[in-house]
Amino acid sequence: MTKDTEKDINLAEFKEEVLAAYPKKVAKKRGKAIVYNDPDEIPQIQANVRTIPGIITQRGCTYAGCKGVVLGPTRDIVNITHGPIGCGFYSWLTRRNQTRPDEQAPENFIPYAFSTDMQDSNIVFGGEEKLKQAIREAYELFHPKAIAIFSTCPVGLIGDDVHRVARHMTEELEGKVNIFGFSCEGYRGVSQSAGHHIANNGLYKNLIGNDDSVDGKYKFRINVLGEYNIGGDAFAIETLMDKCGIELVATMSGNSTKKQFETAHTADLSLVMCHRSINYVAEMLETSFGIPWMKANFIGAEATAKTLRKVGKYFGDQELIDRIEKVIAEEMIPVKEAQEKALEKTKGKLAMLFVGGSRAHHYQELFNELGMTTISAGYEFGHRDDYEGRSVIPSIQIDADSRNIEQITVKEDATRFKPRKTEEELKALEKEGLEFNGYEGMMAEMKKGTLVIDDLSHYEMGKLIEMYHPDIFCAGIKEKFCVQKMGIPLKQLHNYDYGGPYAAFEGAINFYKDIEQIACCSIWKEMKAPWEKEDIVEAEYVY
């Protein structure tokens, strides 16, 4: 896209019109969060600041990020929400995290919503005793391997100490179950991003490194971090790794178990999918145990092939490299067939993506493969480094909200720190094109002139659609029906609308088929919102 195109003119008009509707102070703040992309000179964007009161955005709370995102997909840990039942229900199965218990570990607690169901009396007199009783009941009924406790807003306001309760109950149950808590009250951070950080800290302190056993049938051992098995994505990645002869030690945290968390430090490489939600764990594993990490992407066929080749190059084993190339060649045959079929209808269409994690970035790969252009994108809880790349981290100022999150000290493990690669080996691999501890961010891969918006509001969303008429809009449930009433199909990328998997080669084929059906369906052009179909009487009154 160039400045001479009509699309760029429309984008400029969009920002001007949107900001004109806001009060001056609000407009000044929002203007910093709406930028025109230039991959050659990445612009600075305002991100990870509190949403302006009164503006409806896509964001969730800190509790949602901790319990709902990071710990929710694990199947053999009982996750107890300490708070009103609404909080527990909100975070229960809404992201369609799937799991697949096996004979060795048949436990599956994901279908249960565990909550203390705090009432008015608990708010007045305290809820710690009720929490203790909930833990007793959970242990008597299920005998889980671990119990995690998650604080909600009322808990922080009245002063219940979930960490003290965890210690007391561990003593009472004689250490038969690992019990730990998270201070993840919904108001604690700017968005669910704070909950991710809190969850990462808790995983490191309470689970990671607790089990030194090395299991599996392959010698090449990796972790996949920031993959949550929505619609079965982790299943597709697990199958792909098995075909390539790679041992998947831990997925954090799709289709995960307590043992996976505890043995993650035995892997030799970490691949980071969702940078925002899990980069802290990746760095902790490297600092404590010497495991390097690389940014990866299994969303899109070409991206998946690129990631597999990076893994092969990292391990440097020719037999593994040959096996990976064979798998890629086999998998790309049906992918190309499905892609060519879909391209006939999808090429040239426009997409907008406003979703969390790295999805607003990664799914652009799939749209590129469909010949579609992403003209506008943004995160709901991203930080500047998610947009601009990790090189800007030293320039990001720590604000009061960030100080609400516990900062833990991570050191080399005294007995188990073992660098998987020497400094010389890492530098040699970097010369061959591998990048460690790095992420260029979303903007580097978006076209010049595209519009990047952080923390999109419903008003801004409506204006984008009204002025730009994309062929498909990707967001979440809060936006879904508003967008569809405007005659634009919406694809949820938080839970896939009962679709998926969309990861790996298998997922790419599924995505091609679904987008072809959604974005090319003519019925959306016939859609009229109720206020467009019905006669409306308007009047002005003078008093």
Side-chain angles (χ1 to χ4, degrees):
M1 295 173 66
T2 64
K3 292 183 179 180
D4 298 326
T5 65
E6 182 181 351
K7 294 183 177 63
D8 282 314
I9 295 171
N10 286 342
L11 286 171
E13 290 174 355
F14 162 79
K15 184 173 181 178
E16 183 179 341
E17 185 168 338
V18 163
L19 296 183
Y22 291 134
K24 286 186 178 180
K25 287 186 177 180
V26 175
K28 184 178 180 181
K29 184 176 181 180
R30 282 305 296 156
K32 297 176 183 178
I34 304 172
V35 301
Y36 304 106
N37 189 48
D38 185 347
D40 299 321
E41 295 182 19
I42 302 292
Q44 180 175 325
I45 189 170
Q46 176 183 270
N48 195 38
V49 297
R50 286 196 177 268
T51 299
I52 298 165
I55 292 181
I56 303 172
T57 70
Q58 302 172 293
R59 285 177 168 172
C61 66
T62 299
Y63 159 80
C66 184
K67 193 270 183 185
V69 175
V70 179
L71 270 297
T74 187
R75 66 172 177 262
D76 59 359
I77 297 177
V78 167
N79 294 317
I80 299 178
T81 296
H82 186 35
I85 191 62
C87 298
F89 191 83
Y90 165 71
S91 65
W92 177 52
L93 295 181
T94 53
R95 279 165 56 87
R96 294 184 61 241
N97 305 114
Q98 298 183 10
T99 193
R100 191 157 50 196
D102 53 40
E103 294 180 0
Q104 288 75 30
E107 303 93 339
N108 180 16
F109 304 130
I110 289 179
Y112 296 91
F114 298 98
S115 172
T116 53
D117 187 20
M118 291 181 75
Q119 302 295 314
D120 292 352
S121 60
N122 305 125
I123 302 298
V124 175
F125 300 107
E128 288 189 10
E129 287 304 317
K130 190 169 189 180
L131 175 58
K132 289 180 179 179
Q133 185 56 32
I135 293 171
R136 292 186 189 104
E137 290 181 12
Y139 182 73
E140 290 171 6
L141 289 170
F142 300 103
H143 294 283
K145 298 172 181 175
I147 296 176
I149 310 162
F150 301 86
S151 303
T152 55
C153 293
V155 172
L157 294 173
I158 66 176
D160 278 4
D161 189 338
V162 298
H163 306 285
R164 178 174 60 202
V165 170
R167 291 193 299 271
H168 289 176
M169 291 309 300
T170 299
E171 293 174 6
E172 180 180 313
L173 296 174
E174 301 176 339
K176 296 176 182 176
V177 57
N178 187 359
I179 305 173
F180 48 91
F182 295 89
S183 296
C184 56
E185 296 86 356
Y187 58 75
R188 185 172 287 269
V190 167
S191 67
Q192 56 263 56
S193 170
H196 303 152
H197 196 163
I198 292 166
N200 283 209
N201 290 347
L203 288 176
Y204 178 78
K205 291 194 299 182
N206 298 292
L207 292 172
I208 293 173
N210 287 355
D211 186 348
D212 291 330
S213 62
V214 177
D215 301 323
K217 55 185 177 180
Y218 303 120
K219 64 178 180 179
F220 307 107
R221 300 170 59 80
I222 70 167
N223 297 318
V224 175
L225 310 180
E227 163 46 51
Y228 300 102
N229 202 27
I230 299 167
D233 277 354
F235 296 155
I237 295 173
E238 289 168 8
T239 300
L240 183 61
M241 290 301 165
D242 189 60
K243 287 182 179 179
C244 293
I246 299 169
E247 192 69 36
L248 187 51
V249 180
T251 304
M252 293 194 190
S253 51
N255 192 34
S256 61
T257 62
K258 173 175 173 282
K259 183 177 177 63
Q260 285 190 3
F261 292 131
E262 293 181 330
T263 60
H265 67 293
T266 67
D268 296 314
L269 174 68
S270 293
L271 299 179
V272 175
M273 282 275 286
C274 176
H275 173 260
R276 182 74 272 134
S277 67
I278 210 82
N279 72 85
Y280 314 101
V281 161
E283 293 172 354
M284 292 169 184
L285 285 169
E286 182 170 31
T287 301
S288 281
F289 304 103
I291 306 171
W293 68 269
M294 294 191 296
K295 187 72 176 70
N297 184 11
F298 288 101
I299 303 300
E302 294 296 337
T304 299
K306 182 179 179 181
T307 297
L308 289 176
R309 289 182 174 121
K310 286 167 66 174
V311 173
K313 186 176 291 186
Y314 170 81
F315 285 109
D317 182 272
Q318 192 58 49
E319 184 179 344
L320 174 65
I321 293 170
D322 293 342
R323 188 168 178 176
I324 285 173
E325 290 299 333
K326 182 180 179 182
V327 170
I328 292 173
E330 292 174 352
E331 295 284 346
M332 287 300 285
I333 294 172
V335 166
K336 289 296 183 183
E337 292 176 358
Q339 183 184 20
E340 289 172 7
K341 180 178 180 297
L343 268 170
E344 296 175 3
K345 296 182 179 179
T346 59
K347 189 173 182 179
K349 293 189 177 294
L350 304 180
M352 293 181 178
L353 289 85
F354 293 93
V355 280
S358 292
R359 294 176 183 275
H361 178 191
H362 288 171
Y363 275 83
Q364 293 186 51
E365 293 272 358
L366 277 169
F367 282 118
N368 288 340
E369 291 173 8
L370 288 170
M372 299 176 66
T373 301
T374 302
I375 55 174
S376 187
Y379 299 124
E380 60 183 87
F381 52 77
H383 296 200
R384 277 184 58 203
D385 48 307
D386 298 306
Y387 289 103
E388 303 171 46
R390 289 179 64 87
S391 61
V392 305
I393 290 179
S395 68
I396 298 176
Q397 296 182 349
I398 299 176
D399 56 15
D401 289 312
S402 299
R403 291 191 179 95
N404 286 336
I405 303 169
E406 178 190 12
Q407 300 297 316
I408 65 175
T409 301
V410 180
K411 299 179 180 179
E412 289 184 8
D413 188 278
T415 59
R416 295 175 295 176
F417 177 77
K418 178 187 174 184
R420 289 357 187 228
K421 297 283 185 181
T422 65
E423 287 294 327
E424 292 74 18
E425 288 174 327
L426 290 175
K427 288 179 180 178
L429 288 170
E430 287 174 349
K431 288 181 179 179
E432 293 180 25
L434 296 187
E435 182 181 16
F436 298 95
N437 307 345
Y439 177 40
E440 292 185 350
M442 181 175 73
M443 289 177 167
E445 295 187 13
M446 288 187 69
K447 294 181 179 179
K448 187 173 182 177
T450 49
L451 188 61
V452 181
I453 307 174
D454 181 66
D455 190 25
L456 184 78
S457 72
H458 267 239
Y459 170 71
E460 292 160 1
M461 177 190 73
K463 278 296 177 184
L464 273 177
I465 293 170
E466 176 187 316
M467 298 177 68
Y468 220 55
H469 302 290
D471 295 288
I472 189 165
F473 197 98
C474 299
I477 187 62
K478 286 187 285 186
E479 298 76 44
K480 182 176 179 65
F481 301 105
C482 300
V483 171
Q484 292 185 166
K485 285 176 182 177
M486 298 181 76
I488 303 295
L490 185 143
K491 180 64 179 176
Q492 287 194 79
L493 289 183
H494 295 294
N495 66 7
Y496 296 172
D497 284 315
Y498 309 104
Y502 293 145
F505 301 106
E506 172 192 351
I509 295 172
N510 292 336
F511 194 80
Y512 299 157
K513 293 177 180 178
D514 286 355
I515 297 304
E516 178 189 353
Q517 291 178 340
I518 296 169
C520 303
C521 180
S522 59
I523 190 64
W524 296 105
K525 297 176 183 178
E526 308 301 323
M527 285 286 293
K528 297 290 182 183
W531 55 86
E532 293 178 305
K533 293 188 294 184
E534 300 170 2
D535 293 332
I536 298 175
V537 177
E538 294 183 354
E540 293 184 4
Y541 300 92
V542 178
Y543 295 97

